[in-house]
Amino acid sequence: MTAAQPNPAPAQPARAHPVPAPPTARPATSARRLLVPLGTLAAVASAFAYVGLVDPNEPGHYPVCPLLRFTGVYCPGCGGLRSAHDFVTGHFATAVHSNALAVAGYLVLAAVWVLWAVRSARGLPLRIALSDRQWWLVGAAVLIFSVVRNLPFGSVLAP
């Protein structure tokens, strides 16, 4: 007995029409890649416009900070709405007096948004990776700001 020979695969019949390749994703244009950054900008601009129109210095428009209400202690965000209102209306010194940390945050976030928009237009992802040490430094800065603005010598930072 001889070993059984494997049957060769049957020949494929020739096709009259070639099978089209599956559709590939079209490369996104820079305008299309900017949709998410521009949508985010529109949302943030709308929020700032609202705060610019509805003055937080007038009572009854916004809730009071619970920490300030119940303890009398300013949190890191206390004065943030007043700061945003003053920033939008062009009173930058008053904005810094209301919440200097918030003004610094507006500027940092604006710079990050510009970086995000430029990288998105070029088709590149935005990757901002802070090390554990950098996160601790940010947290320490916020904590120090919070403590100092509640001390008598730091009253210039209080809203």
Side-chain angles (χ1 to χ4, degrees), residues 2-3 10 16-17 30 32-33 38 45 51 60 67 80 88 93 95 100 111 116 121 129 131 136 147-148 151:
T2 62
H17 302 286
S30 61
R32 185 177 176 134
R33 289 188 292 249
L38 290 176
V51 173
L67 184 66
V88 169
W116 180 29
S131 68
W136 279 103
V147 170
V148 169
L151 296 174

Side-chain angles (χ1 to χ4, degrees), residues 22-46:
T24 58
R26 287 183 284 158
T29 63
S30 61
R32 185 177 176 134
R33 289 188 292 249
L34 283 174
L35 285 177
V36 174
L38 290 176
T40 303
L41 177 64
V44 171
S46 298

Side-chain angles (χ1 to χ4, degrees), residues 24-125:
T24 58
R26 287 183 284 158
T29 63
S30 61
R32 185 177 176 134
R33 289 188 292 249
L34 283 174
L35 285 177
V36 174
L38 290 176
T40 303
L41 177 64
V44 171
S46 298
F48 268 82
Y50 179 81
V51 173
L53 293 172
V54 181
D55 189 357
N57 294 307
E58 296 176 15
H61 293 292
Y62 300 99
V64 177
C65 173
L67 184 66
L68 179 62
R69 182 177 195 158
F70 295 121
T71 66
V73 173
Y74 296 117
C75 75
C78 278
L81 284 174
R82 288 186 295 265
S83 174
H85 174 78
D86 294 331
F87 193 84
V88 169
T89 56
H91 302 103
F92 301 115
T94 309
V96 170
H97 175 70
S98 294
N99 192 322
L101 189 63
V103 173
Y106 307 150
L107 300 176
V108 167
L109 291 176
V112 169
W113 182 87
V114 169
L115 179 64
W116 180 29
V118 168
R119 291 187 62 88
S120 292
R122 294 180 180 167
L124 301 171

